[in-house]
Every structure is written in structure tokens, then in C-alpha cells.
Amino acid sequence: WRTQEHGKRFTQSGINNHNAALNRVLDEAELNGWIVKSMRPTLLNKGTKSESRGSFTEAEHKQIYTALRTYYKKTKNPKAAATRETLREYALFLANTGVRHGTEALGLRWKNVEWYKHEGERYLVVNVDGKTKGRSVVARDTVEDYMDRQRLQNPRLDYDTFDELVAAKSNEFVFTTRLGHVASIHNLNYAFNQLLDQLGLKFGADGKSRTLYSYRHYYATRDLSSGMTAHMLAKQIGTSTPMVDKHYSKYSSLLNAKLHSGRSMRKDAEKAPTAGAQGVVDTAFAMLADGTLDEAGLLATLGVGKADYDATDDVRLNALSAKNAGLLSDAGLLKIMDG
């Protein structure tokens, strides 16, 4: 019956939700003595394994948000245009916060937005409540611009600046269209799916379809690629560390390809001699200044006269300073400059 109603086999996650609800009913029945434990059926789960949703590449995301700038102008329907205008800020918000599309994002009110100040810096925080218990999400810095544009779309808001609105703790919903209506999941989904079809981006290279919820996946992969730990990411997006590992572990080696390839270590090794050489130069001239190294020792330390010797700008500048201070002879200065 469930498969027939749904049109396809349920996922294991969906069946788990149904089984949990049914177990609550059976618990109540057993508590009231209407059934005994031996009468309780064994609840099976033969659903399909859930798969991670499709995501967007950086280039695809840029293509989408570029198109969203004028998307609202390409319809004569006032309601559709208003939805598309809000969709621009909504999609950018999802892509830069990791907040769940739907209840979490659309339930957000301006009073849930605040500035968090720490060590002289301030961070934009949105407090969401949805699938999991409420949590505070630190938004990327660019989100301030998106939300500032969004406030201008609500005709009921009368504040001169974004900071004034945040301080006012307004009970108005954040994602309200220019017509004064809270954007609906259905309308946003419809508008976004139409745009993806027009851009040829409905399906990714992996064959998976993309939706607004895919921006959560996009956000997570970006964080992991920047070196974010699974535990820190889980706290930000409101899920468990095992769930992050389950859905994103297969990407981790690719996201950190530079690290795994050893290029980062080679680059660090290449930089080390430069930093060390500069340390030797500074130390040598400092010792010349305090009298613990003579001119001949300085020239030998710098490698003057060797085939690969090349006076850097720092060496030349230090040599001129030493000559000006009377610590270096004319002959010594010429040897350092000319090699």
C-alpha cells in the first residue's frame, strides 16, 4: 500500500519514521493493557538505501546566481516575479549557511538574526529551529549583503539600515516577497526547477537531480574542502558526525586532493630554505653589528664568491645599512653587491 501510494519504494529513512510512529501507538496500547508484548508485530524495513543528493560545482553555482539576477524580469506574472526575486536571496542564503531548505529557512524571522561579537570581530548568526533542535548558525560574511537586499522586499519593514532591523528584533519572516507574502516551498521549488531546466543543470554529471536542498550538500562539500572537520561541520548544519561521514566521506579524498598528493608538503619544503636563508642573513648582520662576527666571516656566511651566490634585495639593503654604520669597508660592500 505504501509503495502504491508513494509511486515507488520508500527509503529506509522514511520507513524508519513510519515505524517509529507506529511503535508509539503500540507502546500506548501496551501501557493501557489493550495488547500484550507477545501481540506486537515485528516491524521490518525493506526500504531502499538513501543516497546523498546531487550538488553543484563552483562553476554551476556561479551560473545559477548570475542567472538569478535577471530571472524575475523574464515573467509577466507579478506573483511569479516576486517569488523569483526572493529566490535569488534565498538560494544564496542556503549556499552560504548550510541551513535546510524548507521549514528551517522559511521559518526564520528577523528576530532570529543577530550579531555575535568576539575578540573585536562580529559575526552574523541565524538561530534556526527545524528538523533537529534549535541551533545557532554562523553565516558566511557575504550573507549580510543578501539579507540586506531581502529586507527591502518586505513592504512592512521600515528601517534605514540592516543593523537597525537586526536590533529591532522584528517578528516578520525573513523570506517575504515584495507582495507581502511569505515565500512558499512550492513556489520556490517550481521557480528554481524551471531555472535549472532552462540552464540545463537539472541533472549533474553523476546523473543525480538537483534541487534547492542540494545547496546544503554544496555548502558541506565546500567546508570539507577547506579543511573543516566532520565534527565542526555537523554542529554547523545540525546533523550527526556519522551522518556527515556517511554522506560525504566518499568525497573527502577528492576534496583534499592537494593534501593527499603531497603537493602541500613539497611547497612547504620549498619555502623552508628561503625562510631559513633569510634567518641566516639577518643573524649574520646582527652579529656583525654586535662585534661577534667580522667582515670576512660575514662574507663567508653569505656565500660571497661562490658560483651560485646572488645578492638579494634584503642582502643589499643590510649591506648598505652596515656600510652606513661604519661596520663594512668599501671593498666588503663591493664584494657583497657584485659577488
Side-chain angles (χ1 to χ4, degrees), residues 43 185 190 207 230 337:
L43 304 182
I185 294 178
Y190 182 77
M337 295 299 188

Side-chain angles (χ1 to χ4, degrees), residues 100 132 230-231 233-235 237-246:
R100 290 180 177 86
T132 56
H231 176 73
L233 175 60
K235 293 293 184 182
I237 65 177
T239 190
S240 65
T241 303
M243 284 297 288
V244 171
D245 288 334
K246 176 182 177 182

Side-chain angles (χ1 to χ4, degrees), residues 159-172:
Y159 300 94
D160 293 330
T161 66
F162 178 75
D163 283 351
E164 284 185 16
L165 174 56
V166 171
K169 294 298 178 184
S170 170
N171 198 46
E172 284 287 320

Side-chain angles (χ1 to χ4, degrees), residues 140-176:
R140 301 202 199 284
D141 291 340
T142 54
V143 173
E144 179 184 354
D145 294 332
Y146 313 146
M147 299 191 80
D148 190 29
R149 291 198 300 258
Q150 180 57 38
R151 74 177 174 87
L152 298 175
Q153 295 186 40
N154 189 335
R156 292 187 293 272
L157 296 178
D158 185 21
Y159 300 94
D160 293 330
T161 66
F162 178 75
D163 283 351
E164 284 185 16
L165 174 56
V166 171
K169 294 298 178 184
S170 170
N171 198 46
E172 284 287 320
F173 285 99
V174 171
F175 294 104
T176 300

Side-chain angles (χ1 to χ4, degrees), residues 31-316:
L31 182 66
N32 284 277
W34 302 328
I35 63 171
V36 295
K37 188 177 293 292
S38 60
M39 296 173 64
R40 293 186 66 148
T42 300
L43 304 182
L44 304 178
N45 189 337
K46 297 181 179 180
T48 58
K49 289 185 177 180
S50 59
E51 295 183 352
S52 58
R53 292 175 170 84
S55 185
F56 301 108
T57 65
E58 289 289 347
E60 288 170 338
H61 172 53
K62 183 176 181 179
Q63 189 177 353
I64 291 169
Y65 73 67
T66 300
L68 281 170
R69 292 170 182 167
T70 56
Y71 187 43
Y72 71 97
K73 298 179 181 179
K74 298 179 180 179
T75 178
K76 294 181 180 179
N77 185 314
K79 187 174 181 180
T83 295
R84 291 181 180 188
E85 197 174 9
T86 297
L87 175 63
R88 177 192 178 191
E89 317 308 340
Y90 185 73
L92 288 168
F93 174 83
L94 296 179
N96 290 280
T97 60
V99 171
R100 290 180 177 86
H101 163 49
T103 305
E104 274 192 359
L106 295 179
L108 189 67
R109 298 174 186 266
W110 286 109
K111 67 181 180 182
N112 304 132
V113 181
E114 63 181 345
W115 286 109
Y116 167 66
K117 296 181 179 179
H118 181 66
E119 296 182 350
E121 300 280 354
R122 71 174 191 173
Y123 305 90
L124 189 63
V125 172
V126 292
N127 299 290
V128 298
D129 191 8
K131 182 177 180 180
T132 56
K133 62 181 181 180
R135 70 183 189 284
S136 297
V137 175
V138 179
R140 301 202 199 284
D141 291 340
T142 54
V143 173
E144 179 184 354
D145 294 332
Y146 313 146
M147 299 191 80
D148 190 29
R149 291 198 300 258
Q150 180 57 38
R151 74 177 174 87
L152 298 175
Q153 295 186 40
N154 189 335
R156 292 187 293 272
L157 296 178
D158 185 21
Y159 300 94
D160 293 330
T161 66
F162 178 75
D163 283 351
E164 284 185 16
L165 174 56
V166 171
K169 294 298 178 184
S170 170
N171 198 46
E172 284 287 320
F173 285 99
V174 171
F175 294 104
T176 300
T177 71
R178 192 171 294 281
L179 300 179
H181 307 300
V182 178
S184 71
I185 294 178
H186 172 77
N187 291 342
L188 289 171
N189 285 341
Y190 182 77
F192 190 68
N193 290 335
Q194 272 195 320
L195 179 63
L196 291 184
D197 285 336
Q198 291 175 20
L199 298 175
L201 296 177
K202 183 58 181 173
F203 294 91
D206 55 6
K208 294 180 180 178
S209 64
R210 278 86 73 90
T211 66
L212 276 168
Y213 206 95
S214 297
Y215 269 124
R216 183 170 163 83
H217 189 112
Y218 167 80
Y219 177 89
T221 53
R222 284 185 72 195
D223 261 14
L224 289 174
S225 67
S226 69
M228 184 77 67
T229 66
H231 176 73
M232 292 173 65
L233 175 60
K235 293 293 184 182
Q236 169 79 352
I237 65 177
T239 190
S240 65
T241 303
M243 284 297 288
V244 171
D245 288 334
K246 176 182 177 182
H247 289 291
Y248 304 106
S249 60
K250 57 181 174 292
Y251 296 100
S252 61
S253 60
L254 299 178
L255 292 171
N256 296 292
K258 185 181 292 186
L259 180 64
H260 293 305
S261 70
R263 292 179 192 175
S264 297
M265 289 181 282
R266 287 200 298 273
K267 287 183 177 180
D268 289 342
E270 291 169 0
K271 293 177 181 177
T274 303
Q278 184 57 44
V280 170
V281 169
D282 290 340
T283 301
F285 278 99
M287 292 176 67
L288 178 69
D290 62 24
T292 56
L293 185 69
D294 61 14
E295 185 174 295
L298 174 70
L299 298 179
T301 302
L302 297 179
V304 175
K306 292 183 178 180
D308 60 348
Y309 173 76
D310 183 23
T312 65
D313 289 340
D314 286 324
V315 169
R316 293 173 184 272

